[in-house]
Amino acid sequence: QGSAEKVDHIFITGGSSLLPGLQEKLEAVTEIEVKRLDILSRFKMNAKYNGDLDHLSAIASVALGLAMRKVSK
């Protein structure tokens, strides 16, 4: 059974989201806007950090999600 809801955009994340051309190819195939999810955009970063935030944001999504979940005994 189909849904009456329309998909407006697709979010991609993870290391594969950094593949050159992936976002554009997905948009061409699906005809839906594709955005790379920047999970670190709301975090304050230490001014001393000089690494690649785009790369870190892409690969840290699973780790941050697991760290934020509720752990029960």
Side-chain angles (χ1 to χ4, degrees), residues 15-25:
S16 296
S17 69
L18 297 171
L19 288 171
L22 176 65
Q23 184 174 340
E24 294 80 9
K25 182 66 172 179

Side-chain angles (χ1 to χ4, degrees), residues 6-24:
K6 180 181 177 237
V7 176
D8 293 324
H9 49 269
I10 299 170
F11 289 106
I12 58 175
T13 189
S16 296
S17 69
L18 297 171
L19 288 171
L22 176 65
Q23 184 174 340
E24 294 80 9

Side-chain angles (χ1 to χ4, degrees), residues 3 11 15 20 22-23 29 48-49 52 56 61 65 67 72-73:
S3 173
F11 289 106
L22 176 65
Q23 184 174 340
V29 170
K48 293 180 181 179
Y49 180 77
D52 182 357
L56 180 60
S61 58
S72 59
K73 293 182 181 184

Side-chain angles (χ1 to χ4, degrees), residues 28-46:
V29 170
T30 63
E31 298 181 354
I32 299 172
E33 181 181 8
V34 177
K35 300 177 183 178
R36 194 172 64 77
L37 187 62
D38 182 5
I39 61 167
L40 297 180
S41 63
R42 294 184 174 228
F43 284 82
K44 286 187 175 183
M45 299 300 287
N46 186 319

